Amino acid sequence: MSVVDQETSAAPASVVTMPFAKAINAGLRAALAADDHVLLMGEDIGPLGGVFRVTEGLQAEFGAERVLDTPLAESGIVGTAIGLAMAGFRPVCEIQFDGFVFPAFDQITSQLAKLTNRHEGALPFPVVIRIPYGGHIGAVEHHQESPEAYFAHTPGLRVVSPSTPNDAYWMIQDAITSNDPIIFLEPKAKYWMKGEVDTSARALPLHASRVVRRGTDVTLVGHGAMVTTLLQAAALAEGEGTSCEVIDLRSISPIDYGPILDSVRRTGRMVYAQEASGFTSVGSEVAATVMEKAFFALEAPVLRVSGFDTPFPPAKLEGLFLPDADRILEAVDRALAY
Amino acid sequence: MSVVDQETSAAPASVVTMPFAKAINAGLRAALAADDHVLLMGEDIGPLGGVFRVTEGLQAEFGAERVLDTPLAESGIVGTAIGLAMAGFRPVCEIQFDGFVFPAFDQITSQLAKLTNRHEGALPFPVVIRIPYGGHIGAVEHHQESPEAYFAHTPGLRVVSPSTPNDAYWMIQDAITSNDPIIFLEPKAKYWMKGEVDTSARALPLHASRVVRRGTDVTLVGHGAMVTTLLQAAALAEGEGTSCEVIDLRSISPIDYGPILDSVRRTGRMVYAQEASGFTSVGSEVAATVMEKAFFALEAPVLRVSGFDTPFPPAKLEGLFLPDADRILEAVDRALAY
Amino acid sequence: MTPPDDPALVRVLAADGTFAPTPGAERYLPLIDALADSELETFYRDMVVVRAFDRQATNLQRQGQLALWPPSFGQEAAQVGSARAARPQDHLFPSYREHVVCTIRGVDPIDIIRLMRGLTHGGWDPTDPKNGNTRIYTLVLGSQTLHAAGFGMGLVFDKRTATGDPEKDEALIVYYGDGSSSQGDVHEAMVFAASYRAPQVFFLQNNHWAISVPVSTQSRTPLFQRAAGYGMPSIQVDGNDVLASYAVTKTALDEARAGGGPRAIEALTYRMGAHTTSDDPTKYRTSDEEESWARRDPIARMHAYLRARGASDEFFAGVEEDAAAYADDVRIRTNALGDLDREVMFGHVYSEPHPLIDEQRRWLADYEASFEGGKA
Amino acid sequence: MTPPDDPALVRVLAADGTFAPTPGAERYLPLIDALADSELETFYRDMVVVRAFDRQATNLQRQGQLALWPPSFGQEAAQVGSARAARPQDHLFPSYREHVVCTIRGVDPIDIIRLMRGLTHGGWDPTDPKNGNTRIYTLVLGSQTLHAAGFGMGLVFDKRTATGDPEKDEALIVYYGDGSSSQGDVHEAMVFAASYRAPQVFFLQNNHWAISVPVSTQSRTPLFQRAAGYGMPSIQVDGNDVLASYAVTKTALDEARAGGGPRAIEALTYRMGAHTTSDDPTKYRTSDEEESWARRDPIARMHAYLRARGASDEFFAGVEEDAAAYADDVRIRTNALGDLDREVMFGHVYSEPHPLIDEQRRWLADYEASFEGGKA
Ligand SMILES: Cc1ncc(C[n+]2csc(CCOP(=O)(O)OP(=O)(O)O)c2C)c(N)n1
Ligand SMILES: Cc1ncc(C[n+]2csc(CCOP(=O)(O)OP(=O)(O)O)c2C)c(N)n1
Ligand SMILES: [Mg+2]
Ligand SMILES: [Mg+2]
């Protein structure tokens, strides 16, 4: 399933350059236009266009019954989205910031994730929950968290996170047409990053991981905004004579292990990087599984570089908390030292 | 910190045999008697004594302002417990069943876990949340789950789970006197299991893991009710000529890795067993960390035996879902085959 | 312990079955007058039949056939009245004790039995017409009130309601208990339903207990009064009076379907049995209280009323026979229930293929195949 | 968009500052009559000073000194009136826009600045007497209402309230907004507070907007009416009238401390500025609306009233000077704020030692030491 560096191939006419947030906006617009039972719901997504302007213009275009400014209650948003799905809709909920998803946690975990199973497949629950997540924006508490592990651990959910505008454009549409509940994590640090979007065809299926840089010595894996940091680290490592392969997970649940295992079998060394705290995290899962499945290929243990096991600190310390290229390189060096 | 088989040493006068649920009851009674600002709160814990009778007799003994039958709202229970802690109390909340903790998830994750940090240590939040958890009781949906990974991933919480009456008696008291918020997971399958309780002195600190059986070939690790299953597996393995060491985690966050790493360095092989779904779980964490820290000692990858990555199934299938001794032995065999 | 009845309480039949409408009931009398004898008899038969089923299920649990049984014993009038008030196109969102509601709408009682036996987490397909738009049970208290509100929003957006045609316009009713009323989700459901004018009736069965906790712990004030704060009309009804329950629910549903927005009903009733078969009510309530409610039994009341209206001995005997046959049938079919296909575990975690599930399904098959002669 | 004012609305000063009590205000007049001139002047000074601070903070954010600033601009009367009504022994639970409340109670404004600058998640120690029993901000909307209810339960259990001595009996007030009122936690807080008769005042500042969402989306009905459903007396007050805000809050707190149980107040006010410095209100509201509220400015109103009572030019000039000095001081101290010790990250995750934290703290120290000459 892996394809190298989709975004850097020669650009056909269908290719437009746009920022990440605009790419989601365009993807949402396409989904709203394609199916009149797609609807968006959330806080401030109407006239304001969302606090990150991701839904800008959509209420004006599709009306207040397709793009809903709901009452201020996250359990209510997800709980009514479930009821709307029962009535034949495909709701796309926006949670304003990562840290505000927890009031909806019961509806997500005990209802949304389990309802297909509880109904023994009699009806699908095509609900997408969009969550801007992660740090790097210098914001106050609850606005910079990475809650993916909670959702990854919950059977019945799918969890994805695009890291480029092109993926953002396609993955949001694929998430909306999927019949399963999907937690759609948008790395808010990337909202303003521009990139080419090829509106003619998707590059990869929703749940595929992707090799974004080829290398031979160490495999670097991560998701969301961390992919950029991994690429920076790989560039720095190259200067020091180390060749890093970089893989963007794209899908956090399920994980497409094929490209990762292929890579590790060649390099023998791997580092997983994530903004989330490391204890019982997605990085733990990937490390444990890769070590299990590629045991004899490994020259060193899979190392993890994570946010510390502290609450996300005040903004002035976020640079200390969040793994940067140097911290990734430190792990690369440790891996190489085995 | 490890001590082998505390429970089987010769019994002094202070040793009483009682079921697990009674041991917690006795521990709670001791805590209520020791500090008049300890209070219990939850649904049906008063005259009924809790649906598992763990709080039986305590309201009659300490009064309705020390043992509170609250309104039926889990967020309310944890949220008001936080306020009570601010007012100088040490609340011990009961969540009636594992699956009903999620309405309180926001108060636990964004408030309780973070408030000590948010206050920069100015005041402690000594709140204990007791949760009967796990399967083996043939109950309906939401009554047999193992949610420990969610809490383990959350910085600011401590997570423990006793597996014997003696641990139950002491660990609940240690949890209550701790100044940190603690998720106290009671393996409900063990409520009726009898064992010796030594009321004269605790065997181990709250966060220590314990070697419960010595062995030389494979290290088996787990927590809660799974410890019994691991011991069964070890007994069966012995019959087949394989010597298993068994370690009870006791504390899920933090994890006392000392005894585990000691053991693995001797055996070279390890299996982690848990009832919870395996993806991004406590087992993932332990496997990843042990492989990282004992890389050269390992002859085989750390293998995990877990509940499947499905919702906990209808009761008639729980035997298929829950790891049993055979499934653990299958992993032991795989580990040995490396 | 119990907050006092509101003076506006709607009751038509006194506890002894005499026709004695309260002032609050006046406006509903035409609806009751309009009921044919056969309808009154149906109400009665419903109650008796489902009570027999409920007793049978309790016995089946005692015999080890079920994991658990939450009896509907005592709440028959609230459930029959409200469910019979719903039109065919209406949608019903039960909590987990609405056995009467479900079976009236067409759900096969064996499907509820299968749930409580540990054979399924659901039991029936709510989109199958034979189940009368009855959703499956929800065990996490209060959650279903939000699902109902969302469904109601969908009815509004799709213009399936409030077109002016009561024969087609859809409405819905969601059931919850006095204990559940404390959950935040119920509040949020009222906020959303009111904001979007969902054609939704919040039907609270106040059976006075949430397991061992009296309703006075949840509220010092009658629960139906909560609705006003959302701008929702609400009413308190004697939930042991099937006629009053029917009339207030029919009115509320028709007002909601006509575009009037959500409505709330508090039906005062009593859980005459245990909370579930695992419960022991003697730990927390007095036999005096139980006896006082036994004197307000919904079936006895309707029996007396029908008797006074001239219903025959044959009619009553026929109902008893029907009930016994119904319960027997449930017992026989329960005993015949087979084992569970493991695909129930793996097959529907997702609607679309999922590699981890596939891998685990395969692993389990291989693993079991590895035991020659099958696993012990 | 806005639900109409309730006829029982409490207002003492008309928008132009004339003394014109509404009928609902009658019972509060003795409390207002009892206010000394110096107290009236304090109310006014509070409002002017904190508005200057608020404007300064907004500027500091524009200059890049703060990550964010949520202005209290326009809500000064609701906050001054309610906070000045609290007795020294009372406890205040703010949400995140209560800069006026906090500073009145003694919180150093620089501590709020530190929070919004990204130097702390808290800012002050609520147990330090100099902070006047003011809890720290809560950013997850509605959560603090439950903390307040629990605290109130603690006051009841410890008999720190309702002993009959208003000089000692403790009560508390919790602040939340019109948007926040939709959260389930607020409902559960009312359930718990009512059940345990917590001496708690729920103080809702209805500033008509939750970021871009009008209050009509949260409720089609005046929000103060929710309280009745919990058996809680409640009242709607003109939140731009500092005298009315003071009197209703003082009454509610004193009733609560006397054992009357919780109370609710809805203060009608307006967020005259942006939601935060990141917000652009022109996207969602009209300048007509903004102007109509500008005419109801709480400070202008009190200014006119004091002026009519004979306050001198010197007094007003003095207040302006105080305000300017206060704001200057904040600016100077903000610019002097230093860096952040990393122990803020590791030091207080737990109250007791934790091996994983210790390991990571050590790792980070070693790692940084490994960069000769320090990390870039
Ligand atoms: C969120 C949640 N918390 C706790 C429970 C456990 N529980 C099941 S029924 C019940 C009491 C429900 O009382 P009520 O709502 O009055 O309904 P009733 O049982 O009287 O029909 C409780 C506490 C649950 N199912 N869900
Ligand atoms: C649980 C939660 N959801 C969303 C947010 C994001 N948010 C911050 S302020 C706000 C609006 C709050 O409105 P209101 O309660 O009326 O208070 P106001 O801002 O008007 O003072 C929102 C949606 C949040 N802080 N917490
Ligand atoms: Mg009840
Ligand atoms: Mg507001």
PDB file of all heavy atoms in Angstrom, chain D residues 286-308:
ATOM      1  N   THR D 286     -24.576  42.124  14.995  1.00  0.00           N
ATOM      2  CA  THR D 286     -24.716  43.410  14.311  1.00  0.00           C
ATOM      3  C   THR D 286     -24.214  44.549  15.188  1.00  0.00           C
ATOM      4  O   THR D 286     -24.206  44.472  16.418  1.00  0.00           O
ATOM      5  CB  THR D 286     -26.200  43.693  14.003  1.00  0.00           C
ATOM      6  OG1 THR D 286     -26.902  43.800  15.250  1.00  0.00           O
ATOM      7  CG2 THR D 286     -26.811  42.554  13.186  1.00  0.00           C
ATOM      8  N   SER D 287     -23.828  45.618  14.527  1.00  0.00           N
ATOM      9  CA  SER D 287     -23.395  46.778  15.302  1.00  0.00           C
ATOM     10  C   SER D 287     -24.603  47.432  15.966  1.00  0.00           C
ATOM     11  O   SER D 287     -24.480  48.060  17.014  1.00  0.00           O
ATOM     12  CB  SER D 287     -22.625  47.769  14.428  1.00  0.00           C
ATOM     13  OG  SER D 287     -23.374  48.054  13.274  1.00  0.00           O
ATOM     14  N   ASP D 288     -25.778  47.267  15.373  1.00  0.00           N
ATOM     15  CA  ASP D 288     -26.999  47.750  16.034  1.00  0.00           C
ATOM     16  C   ASP D 288     -27.127  47.152  17.425  1.00  0.00           C
ATOM     17  O   ASP D 288     -27.397  47.849  18.413  1.00  0.00           O
ATOM     18  CB  ASP D 288     -28.246  47.310  15.235  1.00  0.00           C
ATOM     19  CG  ASP D 288     -28.634  48.352  14.217  1.00  0.00           C
ATOM     20  OD1 ASP D 288     -27.842  49.294  13.993  1.00  0.00           O
ATOM     21  OD2 ASP D 288     -29.729  48.206  13.630  1.00  0.00           O
ATOM     22  N   GLU D 289     -26.966  45.845  17.475  1.00  0.00           N
ATOM     23  CA  GLU D 289     -27.077  45.168  18.761  1.00  0.00           C
ATOM     24  C   GLU D 289     -26.015  45.690  19.715  1.00  0.00           C
ATOM     25  O   GLU D 289     -26.300  46.001  20.876  1.00  0.00           O
ATOM     26  CB  GLU D 289     -26.939  43.653  18.579  1.00  0.00           C
ATOM     27  CG  GLU D 289     -27.018  42.900  19.896  1.00  0.00           C
ATOM     28  CD  GLU D 289     -26.810  41.392  19.757  1.00  0.00           C
ATOM     29  OE1 GLU D 289     -27.512  40.769  18.938  1.00  0.00           O
ATOM     30  OE2 GLU D 289     -25.951  40.845  20.481  1.00  0.00           O
ATOM     31  N   GLU D 290     -24.806  45.799  19.232  1.00  0.00           N
ATOM     32  CA  GLU D 290     -23.721  46.271  20.099  1.00  0.00           C
ATOM     33  C   GLU D 290     -24.003  47.679  20.616  1.00  0.00           C
ATOM     34  O   GLU D 290     -23.794  47.977  21.788  1.00  0.00           O
ATOM     35  CB  GLU D 290     -22.384  46.210  19.357  1.00  0.00           C
ATOM     36  CG  GLU D 290     -21.955  44.775  19.057  1.00  0.00           C
ATOM     37  CD  GLU D 290     -20.587  44.654  18.379  1.00  0.00           C
ATOM     38  OE1 GLU D 290     -20.017  45.708  18.009  1.00  0.00           O
ATOM     39  OE2 GLU D 290     -20.107  43.519  18.236  1.00  0.00           O
ATOM     40  N   GLU D 291     -24.527  48.511  19.722  1.00  0.00           N
ATOM     41  CA  GLU D 291     -24.816  49.884  20.150  1.00  0.00           C
ATOM     42  C   GLU D 291     -25.943  49.932  21.175  1.00  0.00           C
ATOM     43  O   GLU D 291     -25.911  50.718  22.123  1.00  0.00           O
ATOM     44  CB  GLU D 291     -25.159  50.756  18.935  1.00  0.00           C
ATOM     45  CG  GLU D 291     -23.895  51.206  18.196  1.00  0.00           C
ATOM     46  CD  GLU D 291     -24.160  51.522  16.732  1.00  0.00           C
ATOM     47  OE1 GLU D 291     -25.311  51.863  16.384  1.00  0.00           O
ATOM     48  OE2 GLU D 291     -23.204  51.386  15.932  1.00  0.00           O
ATOM     49  N   SER D 292     -26.934  49.083  20.971  1.00  0.00           N
ATOM     50  CA  SER D 292     -28.054  49.123  21.914  1.00  0.00           C
ATOM     51  C   SER D 292     -27.576  48.738  23.310  1.00  0.00           C
ATOM     52  O   SER D 292     -28.051  49.253  24.314  1.00  0.00           O
ATOM     53  CB  SER D 292     -29.199  48.224  21.433  1.00  0.00           C
ATOM     54  OG  SER D 292     -29.070  46.929  21.968  1.00  0.00           O
ATOM     55  N   TRP D 293     -26.582  47.845  23.372  1.00  0.00           N
ATOM     56  CA  TRP D 293     -26.042  47.488  24.682  1.00  0.00           C
ATOM     57  C   TRP D 293     -25.069  48.536  25.198  1.00  0.00           C
ATOM     58  O   TRP D 293     -24.924  48.707  26.408  1.00  0.00           O
ATOM     59  CB  TRP D 293     -25.418  46.095  24.630  1.00  0.00           C
ATOM     60  CG  TRP D 293     -26.453  45.025  24.742  1.00  0.00           C
ATOM     61  CD1 TRP D 293     -27.046  44.345  23.724  1.00  0.00           C
ATOM     62  CD2 TRP D 293     -27.056  44.547  25.951  1.00  0.00           C
ATOM     63  NE1 TRP D 293     -27.965  43.459  24.211  1.00  0.00           N
ATOM     64  CE2 TRP D 293     -27.998  43.549  25.574  1.00  0.00           C
ATOM     65  CE3 TRP D 293     -26.904  44.842  27.310  1.00  0.00           C
ATOM     66  CZ2 TRP D 293     -28.775  42.856  26.506  1.00  0.00           C
ATOM     67  CZ3 TRP D 293     -27.671  44.148  28.232  1.00  0.00           C
ATOM     68  CH2 TRP D 293     -28.596  43.170  27.826  1.00  0.00           C
ATOM     69  N   ALA D 294     -24.412  49.218  24.288  1.00  0.00           N
ATOM     70  CA  ALA D 294     -23.509  50.286  24.734  1.00  0.00           C
ATOM     71  C   ALA D 294     -24.313  51.333  25.489  1.00  0.00           C
ATOM     72  O   ALA D 294     -23.839  51.937  26.449  1.00  0.00           O
ATOM     73  CB  ALA D 294     -22.798  50.905  23.533  1.00  0.00           C
ATOM     74  N   ARG D 295     -25.553  51.518  25.083  1.00  0.00           N
ATOM     75  CA  ARG D 295     -26.407  52.486  25.778  1.00  0.00           C
ATOM     76  C   ARG D 295     -26.805  52.010  27.171  1.00  0.00           C
ATOM     77  O   ARG D 295     -27.337  52.772  27.966  1.00  0.00           O
ATOM     78  CB  ARG D 295     -27.652  52.785  24.935  1.00  0.00           C
ATOM     79  CG  ARG D 295     -27.347  53.652  23.695  1.00  0.00           C
ATOM     80  CD  ARG D 295     -28.607  54.152  23.018  1.00  0.00           C
ATOM     81  NE  ARG D 295     -29.422  53.083  22.445  1.00  0.00           N
ATOM     82  CZ  ARG D 295     -29.241  52.575  21.215  1.00  0.00           C
ATOM     83  NH1 ARG D 295     -28.287  53.048  20.425  1.00  0.00           N
ATOM     84  NH2 ARG D 295     -30.020  51.612  20.762  1.00  0.00           N
ATOM     85  N   ARG D 296     -26.546  50.724  27.433  1.00  0.00           N
ATOM     86  CA  ARG D 296     -26.866  50.199  28.773  1.00  0.00           C
ATOM     87  C   ARG D 296     -25.590  49.929  29.588  1.00  0.00           C
ATOM     88  O   ARG D 296     -25.602  49.148  30.533  1.00  0.00           O
ATOM     89  CB  ARG D 296     -27.684  48.905  28.625  1.00  0.00           C
ATOM     90  CG  ARG D 296     -29.115  49.193  28.222  1.00  0.00           C
ATOM     91  CD  ARG D 296     -29.902  47.913  27.966  1.00  0.00           C
ATOM     92  NE  ARG D 296     -29.855  47.519  26.560  1.00  0.00           N
ATOM     93  CZ  ARG D 296     -30.450  46.430  26.056  1.00  0.00           C
ATOM     94  NH1 ARG D 296     -31.115  45.614  26.855  1.00  0.00           N
ATOM     95  NH2 ARG D 296     -30.381  46.149  24.778  1.00  0.00           N
ATOM     96  N   ASP D 297     -24.515  50.572  29.197  1.00  0.00           N
ATOM     97  CA  ASP D 297     -23.212  50.372  29.842  1.00  0.00           C
ATOM     98  C   ASP D 297     -23.312  50.474  31.369  1.00  0.00           C
ATOM     99  O   ASP D 297     -23.820  51.464  31.907  1.00  0.00           O
ATOM    100  CB  ASP D 297     -22.232  51.415  29.305  1.00  0.00           C
ATOM    101  CG  ASP D 297     -20.817  51.198  29.809  1.00  0.00           C
ATOM    102  OD1 ASP D 297     -20.630  51.069  31.048  1.00  0.00           O
ATOM    103  OD2 ASP D 297     -19.903  51.151  28.979  1.00  0.00           O
ATOM    104  N   PRO D 298     -22.822  49.472  32.070  1.00  0.00           N
ATOM    105  CA  PRO D 298     -22.963  49.486  33.538  1.00  0.00           C
ATOM    106  C   PRO D 298     -22.195  50.621  34.220  1.00  0.00           C
ATOM    107  O   PRO D 298     -22.629  51.117  35.260  1.00  0.00           O
ATOM    108  CB  PRO D 298     -22.392  48.125  33.952  1.00  0.00           C
ATOM    109  CG  PRO D 298     -21.586  47.646  32.787  1.00  0.00           C
ATOM    110  CD  PRO D 298     -22.192  48.250  31.561  1.00  0.00           C
ATOM    111  N   ILE D 299     -21.086  51.019  33.649  1.00  0.00           N
ATOM    112  CA  ILE D 299     -20.304  52.070  34.303  1.00  0.00           C
ATOM    113  C   ILE D 299     -20.953  53.437  34.090  1.00  0.00           C
ATOM    114  O   ILE D 299     -21.107  54.217  35.034  1.00  0.00           O
ATOM    115  CB  ILE D 299     -18.841  52.054  33.796  1.00  0.00           C
ATOM    116  CG1 ILE D 299     -18.188  50.723  34.219  1.00  0.00           C
ATOM    117  CG2 ILE D 299     -18.068  53.247  34.337  1.00  0.00           C
ATOM    118  CD1 ILE D 299     -16.716  50.601  33.901  1.00  0.00           C
ATOM    119  N   ALA D 300     -21.381  53.700  32.862  1.00  0.00           N
ATOM    120  CA  ALA D 300     -22.041  54.983  32.580  1.00  0.00           C
ATOM    121  C   ALA D 300     -23.273  55.140  33.475  1.00  0.00           C
ATOM    122  O   ALA D 300     -23.559  56.218  34.001  1.00  0.00           O
ATOM    123  CB  ALA D 300     -22.439  55.035  31.106  1.00  0.00           C
ATOM    124  N   ARG D 301     -23.969  54.028  33.633  1.00  0.00           N
ATOM    125  CA  ARG D 301     -25.190  54.071  34.443  1.00  0.00           C
ATOM    126  C   ARG D 301     -24.891  54.470  35.881  1.00  0.00           C
ATOM    127  O   ARG D 301     -25.522  55.355  36.451  1.00  0.00           O
ATOM    128  CB  ARG D 301     -25.835  52.674  34.405  1.00  0.00           C
ATOM    129  CG  ARG D 301     -27.161  52.592  35.078  1.00  0.00           C
ATOM    130  CD  ARG D 301     -27.730  51.184  35.039  1.00  0.00           C
ATOM    131  NE  ARG D 301     -27.732  50.612  33.687  1.00  0.00           N
ATOM    132  CZ  ARG D 301     -28.493  49.592  33.315  1.00  0.00           C
ATOM    133  NH1 ARG D 301     -29.317  49.026  34.175  1.00  0.00           N
ATOM    134  NH2 ARG D 301     -28.433  49.120  32.094  1.00  0.00           N
ATOM    135  N   MET D 302     -23.898  53.864  36.466  1.00  0.00           N
ATOM    136  CA  MET D 302     -23.554  54.163  37.859  1.00  0.00           C
ATOM    137  C   MET D 302     -22.956  55.574  37.963  1.00  0.00           C
ATOM    138  O   MET D 302     -23.174  56.280  38.954  1.00  0.00           O
ATOM    139  CB  MET D 302     -22.573  53.103  38.367  1.00  0.00           C
ATOM    140  CG  MET D 302     -22.343  53.138  39.856  1.00  0.00           C
ATOM    141  SD  MET D 302     -23.849  52.751  40.829  1.00  0.00           S
ATOM    142  CE  MET D 302     -23.163  52.845  42.497  1.00  0.00           C
ATOM    143  N   HIS D 303     -22.233  55.934  36.922  1.00  0.00           N
ATOM    144  CA  HIS D 303     -21.666  57.289  36.869  1.00  0.00           C
ATOM    145  C   HIS D 303     -22.790  58.321  36.961  1.00  0.00           C
ATOM    146  O   HIS D 303     -22.768  59.242  37.796  1.00  0.00           O
ATOM    147  CB  HIS D 303     -20.872  57.440  35.560  1.00  0.00           C
ATOM    148  CG  HIS D 303     -20.107  58.715  35.458  1.00  0.00           C
ATOM    149  ND1 HIS D 303     -20.688  59.934  35.185  1.00  0.00           N
ATOM    150  CD2 HIS D 303     -18.779  58.968  35.591  1.00  0.00           C
ATOM    151  CE1 HIS D 303     -19.769  60.870  35.153  1.00  0.00           C
ATOM    152  NE2 HIS D 303     -18.597  60.316  35.402  1.00  0.00           N
ATOM    153  N   ALA D 304     -23.809  58.140  36.141  1.00  0.00           N
ATOM    154  CA  ALA D 304     -24.920  59.090  36.124  1.00  0.00           C
ATOM    155  C   ALA D 304     -25.627  59.116  37.484  1.00  0.00           C
ATOM    156  O   ALA D 304     -26.001  60.175  37.993  1.00  0.00           O
ATOM    157  CB  ALA D 304     -25.903  58.706  35.013  1.00  0.00           C
ATOM    158  N   TYR D 305     -25.766  57.915  38.056  1.00  0.00           N
ATOM    159  CA  TYR D 305     -26.451  57.845  39.354  1.00  0.00           C
ATOM    160  C   TYR D 305     -25.658  58.590  40.426  1.00  0.00           C
ATOM    161  O   TYR D 305     -26.202  59.415  41.172  1.00  0.00           O
ATOM    162  CB  TYR D 305     -26.650  56.377  39.729  1.00  0.00           C
ATOM    163  CG  TYR D 305     -27.273  56.186  41.083  1.00  0.00           C
ATOM    164  CD1 TYR D 305     -28.578  56.622  41.345  1.00  0.00           C
ATOM    165  CD2 TYR D 305     -26.575  55.541  42.114  1.00  0.00           C
ATOM    166  CE1 TYR D 305     -29.159  56.424  42.593  1.00  0.00           C
ATOM    167  CE2 TYR D 305     -27.148  55.340  43.358  1.00  0.00           C
ATOM    168  CZ  TYR D 305     -28.441  55.789  43.601  1.00  0.00           C
ATOM    169  OH  TYR D 305     -29.007  55.595  44.830  1.00  0.00           O
ATOM    170  N   LEU D 306     -24.362  58.313  40.480  1.00  0.00           N
ATOM    171  CA  LEU D 306     -23.539  58.969  41.507  1.00  0.00           C
ATOM    172  C   LEU D 306     -23.498  60.473  41.268  1.00  0.00           C
ATOM    173  O   LEU D 306     -23.589  61.269  42.199  1.00  0.00           O
ATOM    174  CB  LEU D 306     -22.116  58.392  41.490  1.00  0.00           C
ATOM    175  CG  LEU D 306     -21.978  56.962  41.998  1.00  0.00           C
ATOM    176  CD1 LEU D 306     -20.517  56.523  41.936  1.00  0.00           C
ATOM    177  CD2 LEU D 306     -22.500  56.830  43.431  1.00  0.00           C
ATOM    178  N   ARG D 307     -23.363  60.818  40.006  1.00  0.00           N
ATOM    179  CA  ARG D 307     -23.361  62.236  39.646  1.00  0.00           C
ATOM    180  C   ARG D 307     -24.634  62.913  40.165  1.00  0.00           C
ATOM    181  O   ARG D 307     -24.584  63.945  40.838  1.00  0.00           O
ATOM    182  CB  ARG D 307     -23.256  62.338  38.115  1.00  0.00           C
ATOM    183  CG  ARG D 307     -23.442  63.711  37.526  1.00  0.00           C
ATOM    184  CD  ARG D 307     -22.292  64.642  37.825  1.00  0.00           C
ATOM    185  NE  ARG D 307     -21.116  64.373  37.000  1.00  0.00           N
ATOM    186  CZ  ARG D 307     -19.897  64.861  37.266  1.00  0.00           C
ATOM    187  NH1 ARG D 307     -19.695  65.619  38.327  1.00  0.00           N
ATOM    188  NH2 ARG D 307     -18.888  64.585  36.470  1.00  0.00           N
ATOM    189  N   ALA D 308     -25.773  62.262  39.926  1.00  0.00           N
ATOM    190  CA  ALA D 308     -27.047  62.843  40.358  1.00  0.00           C
ATOM    191  C   ALA D 308     -27.123  62.922  41.882  1.00  0.00           C
ATOM    192  O   ALA D 308     -27.754  63.814  42.440  1.00  0.00           O
ATOM    193  CB  ALA D 308     -28.209  62.010  39.801  1.00  0.00           C
TER     194      ALA D 308
END
